[in-house]
Amino acid sequence: METDVLVIGGSAGGILAALSVKKTYKDKKVTVIRMAERVMVPCGIPYIFGTLKDTSKNVIPDSMLTNAGVELVIDEVVSIDRQNKKVSTRKNGDISYKKLILATGSLPIVPTFIPGYDLDNVFTIKKDEEYLKFVQQKINEAEDVVVVGGGFIGVEMAEQVQLLGKNVTIIEVADKLLWQAFDPEFSDMAEAKLKEHGIKVLTGTKVTKFIGEKEVKEVEIHTGERIKADVVIVAMGVKPNTKLAEEAGIKLNEKGAITVDEYMRTNDPDIFAVGDCAEKKCFFTRKNVPILLASIAANEAKIAGVNAFELRLVRENKGTISAFSTKIYNTAFAAAGLTETQARAEGFDIVIGEFNTIDKHPGTLPNTMNVKIKLIFSRYSGVILGAQLAGGDNVGEMINILSLAIQKGTTASELTTFQVATHPLLTSSPVSYPISSAALDALSKI
Amino acid sequence: METDVLVIGGSAGGILAALSVKKTYKDKKVTVIRMAERVMVPCGIPYIFGTLKDTSKNVIPDSMLTNAGVELVIDEVVSIDRQNKKVSTRKNGDISYKKLILATGSLPIVPTFIPGYDLDNVFTIKKDEEYLKFVQQKINEAEDVVVVGGGFIGVEMAEQVQLLGKNVTIIEVADKLLWQAFDPEFSDMAEAKLKEHGIKVLTGTKVTKFIGEKEVKEVEIHTGERIKADVVIVAMGVKPNTKLAEEAGIKLNEKGAITVDEYMRTNDPDIFAVGDCAEKKCFFTRKNVPILLASIAANEAKIAGVNAFELRLVRENKGTISAFSTKIYNTAFAAAGLTETQARAEGFDIVIGEFNTIDKHPGTLPNTMNVKIKLIFSRYSGVILGAQLAGGDNVGEMINILSLAIQKGTTASELTTFQVATHPLLTSSPVSYPISSAALDALSKI
C-alpha cells in the first residue's frame, strides 16, 4: 500500500494531524492507521462510569476522518523502515509513506513498585474500549473503590464512581490534590467539594501494598492502616508510548519522549511526532515538562499537519502553558500557566491579583455561582504568568481568555482595561468582571 | 462640601470610576453623586419583566461603593462651575472637587417623529426604578405588546414579555434583527428562535403611527396595516446625556457626545468623561461610533480612575471593538469587532473562517448544544477583525477570547495553534475547538 502521509495513532493528535494535512494539502493521500476498532474520547473516559454509563456514548466518530477524505486502516504497525520510508503492519503488509506522523500517545504508569499491583481488580485507565467495559462492570459490582492518585483523572474518576453510590477513597502522596495545576487554596476547595459528597480524601499518603489473594481486597498505606477495596483505580500519570519510534532509531529525550523541533519534526526530517509521545517544553522556561493533554496534542497535530510538506506555520510551538479545566460536582476549576508555587520556585519576582465575585448579574438570577480568580504577574515586566479559576461552567472558557493572554505576553495593565462582552445571563457584571478586577488588584500592589 | 474626586452618575461607569480612583489613590476622598435612590443593573433591566419579576432583584448594591470607602450622595447636580472647580446641587449646596468625572450616561431616544409617541402605555426603557415598576405593571396587564426596534434591548424585551404569555410583535426598520452586531446568517438564527416561540417579527418595517385616544391601542406600519397593542416598548437606541457638560462649556462632538482624549479627559484637564456620555472611537477606523454599553463604560471608568491624578495606564483606550452578547431562549449569541458586512463596507480585503461543532465532548453528554462560529480576518496581514458566535452559554466567555485576540492583533495562524484548556463537560473537543478550527478554515483559503 502507498500513501503520501501516514499517521500512526487515531486519538486527538492523530485525527487532527490527518485533518490538518488534508485541509492544507488537498491533493495528498492521507492515511491514519490505528489499533482500536473504535476510538474513545480520551478526556471523556472518566464520564463513562457515572454519567454516560456506556462506552458507546464516548466514541469519536470516524466520519470526522472519512468525510474529510482521510483513509482509515485498523491495524498495528510493528516496525518503521526509515531507509525505505515504509512501515510494516500486522495484517496489511507494508505501507510506504512520504511523510510519517507519529501520534502513538501514552500509556498509564503501572505501579510495579507497589506489591500486589498485579492483583485482579487493580486497574489503570487505558484508552481501550473493551478494557474499559470490563473495568466498568467491576466498578458497578463493587462497594468500596480506592483511587490512587489525586490528579485530574483520579479526581474525576472518584467523583464519577461516587455518583454511582460507591464508597470512594482517594489517596494522594503529595500534600494537596491537583497540586500540579493549582495553588493550595484552590486544591482545598476541590477537596472540600469531594468531601461534601462523602469521598474520603487522604493526602500526604503513600500506598505501600495492595492486599488480596487473587482479587484485591484492601489497600495498605504508610501508616499501616488498611482500606477496604473491591476495585482499585490507579491514576498515577502516564508516560509516552515510544517503543516503535525508539526501535526505529528515532531520538528520545531523557524522559523517554520523542525529541522534536519547533515544527514537531523528529531527527528524521520526514517523520513528525505529536501529542503525548512527543516531548513538551515549558512556555516559560523551555524545560522539558511532562504535561500530556489532548488539547496540547491537538495543537501540535495542527503544527505538524500544516507544516508536513513545507513550513507554513512559523515557530508556532512556543511551549506548553499547561492549560487545564475540570468540573467537580457543580464547580468548575481551571488553570493555565504557572501557579504561584511554581513561579516562586522558578525564581520569578511576582505580584498576585485576586478577586471574588458572581458569574451572573444581578446575583438574583437563577443558577448564579461564585467565581474565584487568582492571577500571577511578573512584577517588573507586568506580564501575566499564570491564572487559576473556580466557579460555574463559564470558567471553562474564561481560562482560555487567560491562556491566550499568557501566549500573547499580555500585561496587567492591558488586562485591567481589555474590552469584554458582558451579559446578565452569561457573564459577571462589567463592574466586577473577574479578569480585569483581579488585574486591577495586582496593579494596585505594584 | 469638599471632595478630592467627584463622580457624577451612579451606574456602571460611575461606580467603577470611583472604585478605581479609590483603589489607586487610597488617601483621596472620592464621592459619587447620583439621582436614583437605588441603581438598577443596566443590562439586567429586560430581565426584570419575565425572569426576575421584581425591580428589587435588579439592584446594584451600594455596599460596593461604601465598603471601598467611597462617599455617596443622593442628589442632582444642576450646574458645574469649572472656574471655581465646584458643582451646585439641588439639596446639598455646592461641592468642590479637584477632579471631576462625568458618568451621566444616556437617555433613550423618544420617537417624537412618530405621531402618537406620547400616548399612554408607549414606553421607552429608562433606568429609573419607579418608572420601570410602572411599565412592568402595564405589561403584566396587557395582552398584546409591540416592541419597536430589533436591537439587543428590543429582542431581549420581546423574549421576556413573551415568557409572560403575551402576544408579542417586534418591528424593525432594517432588513434584519441585530444587524449592527451580526451578519445575516446569525440574525436569521435569532429571528427563527423568536418565531419558534410565537413572537411575530416584522423586519424592513417602518412604524408610521401610534393609534389610540388616551392610551395606545394600535401601531400602524408603512403598509397601512395595524397591529393591536396594549403596550408599546420603544427600543430605538439611546443618546448621550450631556446637557450638564454642554452647559458648562465642555466640548461635545457632532453626535452630542463629550469629546475625550486617550485618557478620557475632556477639554478641561480636570474633568474626565466615561461611559455612554463620552464619545467612542472605532478600534479599527478611529471613526466616531455610537456603541453605548456598560462593558465599555466600565473599561473607560478604569482608565479615568487610574489616571485621575497622574497618567498611569498609558494609551489603554484603543477604541471600542463592539463586544456584545445576549441569550435568546436557550441560545447565546455573541459578537466582537467588525461583521463581514462592516468589514467589506470599510474596504477591508478579508477572508472568512467558519466552523460548526458541539459545545461538549462527546455530544452524548447532557445539555450539549451546537456552536456556530464565524471569524473575519484581514487577508494580507492575517489579523483578526471580527468574530460571531451562536451556541450554549459558554459562548458568553468564548467571545471574550476573541475580544482579546482582536485587541492584541492576533493572526489566524496564531489562533490555529493557540493552546486552550478543554474538558468534556465545559468545552468543545480539542479536535474541533471552534476558534482554532475556524482559524484553520480561514488559513486554508488564504
Side-chain angles (χ1 to χ4, degrees), chain A residues 243-302:
Chain A
K243 189 162 165 280
L244 198 61
E246 192 176 16
E247 288 172 358
I250 292 169
K251 203 177 147 205
L252 308 186
N253 72 12
E254 76 286 1
K255 294 191 175 171
I258 300 171
T259 303
V260 287
D261 70 5
E262 293 278 330
Y263 304 98
M264 311 312 299
R265 293 182 294 197
T266 66
N267 60 316
D268 181 326
D270 293 316
I271 304 184
F272 295 73
V274 302
D276 289 2
C277 67
E279 74 178 353
K280 309 279 166 267
K281 301 245 182 239
C282 172
F283 180 86
F284 303 97
T285 64
R286 310 300 299 157
K287 288 181 186 170
N288 287 336
V289 283
I291 305 292
L292 307 187
L293 292 169
S295 50
I296 298 176
N299 213 11
E300 294 176 345
K302 277 180 278 191

Side-chain angles (χ1 to χ4, degrees), chain A residues 57 319 364 397 417 419 433, chain B residues 57 299 319 364 397 417 419 433:
Chain A
K57 291 192 176 163
T364 48
E397 289 296 352
T417 55
Q419 293 174 55
Y433 187 73
Chain B
K57 291 192 176 163
N299 212 11
T364 48
E397 289 297 353
T417 55
Q419 293 173 55
Y433 188 73

Side-chain angles (χ1 to χ4, degrees), chain A residues 11-13 15-16 19-20 23-24 26 41 43-45 47 51-52 56-60 64 156 159-160 283 294-296 298-299 302-303 306 312-314 316-327 332-335 354-355 360-366 392-405 407-437 440-445, chain B residues 11-13 15-16 19-20 23-24 26 41 43-45 47 51-52 56-60 64 156 159-160 283 294-296 298-299 302-303 306 312-314 316-327 332-335 354-355 360-366 392-405 407-437 440-445:
Chain A
S11 190
I15 293 170
L16 214 46
L19 291 177
S20 305
K23 190 137 195 161
T24 311
K26 295 181 179 60
V41 175
C43 347
I45 290 171
Y47 300 99
T51 302
L52 302 173
S56 308
K57 291 192 176 163
N58 191 49
V59 173
I60 302 184
M64 281 195 80
E156 290 172 358
E159 185 231 43
Q160 288 289 303
F283 180 86
S295 50
I296 298 176
N299 213 11
K302 277 180 278 191
I303 295 170
V306 175
R312 294 184 173 206
L313 287 174
V314 178
E316 286 303 329
N317 193 8
K318 295 173 182 153
T320 175
I321 59 155
S322 307
F324 300 103
S325 57
T326 191
K327 191 172 177 186
F333 291 82
E354 287 171 303
F355 200 69
K360 298 192 175 52
H361 62 288
T364 48
L365 284 164
D393 283 3
N394 65 6
V395 153
E397 289 296 352
M398 208 186 295
I399 197 64
N400 291 329
I401 305 170
L402 294 156
S403 300
L404 180 62
Q407 289 165 78
K408 294 288 287 178
T410 310
T411 62
S413 91
E414 288 175 300
L415 286 179
T416 301
T417 55
F418 100 100
Q419 293 174 55
V420 290
T422 57
H423 187 270
L425 305 175
L426 302 172
T427 70
S428 302
S429 158
V431 174
S432 52
Y433 187 73
I435 296 174
S436 43
S437 301
L440 184 60
D441 182 53
L443 273 187
S444 74
K445 296 176 191 165
Chain B
S11 191
I15 293 169
L16 214 46
L19 292 178
S20 305
K23 189 135 196 163
T24 312
K26 294 179 178 64
V41 176
C43 346
I45 289 171
Y47 300 98
T51 302
L52 301 172
S56 308
K57 291 192 176 163
N58 191 51
V59 174
I60 302 184
M64 282 197 79
E156 290 172 357
E159 185 231 43
Q160 288 289 302
F283 180 84
S295 50
I296 298 177
N299 212 11
K302 277 180 278 189
I303 295 170
V306 174
R312 294 185 173 206
L313 286 175
V314 179
E316 286 304 328
N317 193 9
K318 295 174 181 152
T320 174
I321 59 155
S322 305
F324 298 105
S325 57
T326 190
K327 191 174 176 184
F333 291 81
E354 287 170 304
F355 199 69
K360 298 191 176 51
H361 63 287
T364 48
L365 283 165
D393 284 3
N394 66 4
V395 152
E397 289 297 353
M398 209 186 295
I399 197 65
N400 291 330
I401 304 170
L402 294 155
S403 300
L404 180 62
Q407 289 164 80
K408 292 290 286 179
T410 310
T411 62
S413 90
E414 288 175 300
L415 286 179
T416 301
T417 55
F418 100 98
Q419 293 173 55
V420 290
T422 58
H423 187 270
L425 306 175
L426 302 172
T427 70
S428 302
S429 157
V431 174
S432 52
Y433 188 73
I435 296 173
S436 42
S437 302
L440 184 60
D441 181 53
L443 273 189
S444 74
K445 296 177 192 165

Side-chain angles (χ1 to χ4, degrees), chain B residues 46-154:
Chain B
Y47 300 98
I48 291 170
F49 300 96
T51 302
L52 301 172
K53 299 205 166 92
D54 186 347
T55 58
S56 308
K57 291 192 176 163
N58 191 51
V59 174
I60 302 184
D62 287 341
S63 57
M64 282 197 79
L65 293 172
T66 50
N67 288 349
V70 173
E71 310 278 320
L72 186 57
V73 177
I74 311 295
D75 199 348
E76 185 181 354
V77 173
V78 291
S79 66
I80 301 167
D81 176 358
R82 289 166 53 199
Q83 200 75 38
N84 299 300
K85 296 180 73 168
K86 63 184 185 182
V87 306
S88 13
T89 67
R90 208 163 284 287
K91 297 181 297 189
N92 287 272
D94 290 355
I95 305 177
S96 68
Y97 62 81
K98 295 200 178 78
K99 303 287 176 182
L100 179 66
I101 301 179
L102 301 174
T104 49
S106 55
L107 296 169
I109 290 169
V110 177
T112 51
F113 42 88
I114 302 176
Y117 78 90
D118 53 355
L119 286 170
D120 284 359
N121 301 344
V122 176
F123 299 111
T124 56
I125 298 296
K126 300 181 195 167
K127 291 169 191 158
D128 180 76
E129 184 174 7
E130 293 310 311
Y131 174 84
L132 290 169
K133 276 186 187 165
F134 184 69
V135 175
Q136 183 182 25
Q137 184 198 319
K138 291 296 176 183
I139 288 175
N140 287 343
E141 293 165 9
E143 208 167 293
D144 298 286
V145 176
V146 171
V147 177
V148 183
F152 285 98
I153 295 177

Side-chain angles (χ1 to χ4, degrees), chain B residues 281-340:
Chain B
K281 301 247 184 237
C282 172
F283 180 84
F284 303 97
T285 64
R286 309 301 300 158
K287 288 181 183 168
N288 286 336
V289 284
I291 305 291
L292 307 186
L293 293 170
S295 50
I296 298 177
N299 212 11
E300 294 176 346
K302 277 180 278 189
I303 295 170
V306 174
N307 290 332
F309 288 94
E310 52 192 17
L311 298 186
R312 294 185 173 206
L313 286 175
V314 179
R315 291 207 53 167
E316 286 304 328
N317 193 9
K318 295 174 181 152
T320 174
I321 59 155
S322 305
F324 298 105
S325 57
T326 190
K327 191 174 176 184
I328 304 176
Y329 299 100
N330 68 341
T331 304
F333 291 81
L338 300 174
T339 61
E340 179 180 353

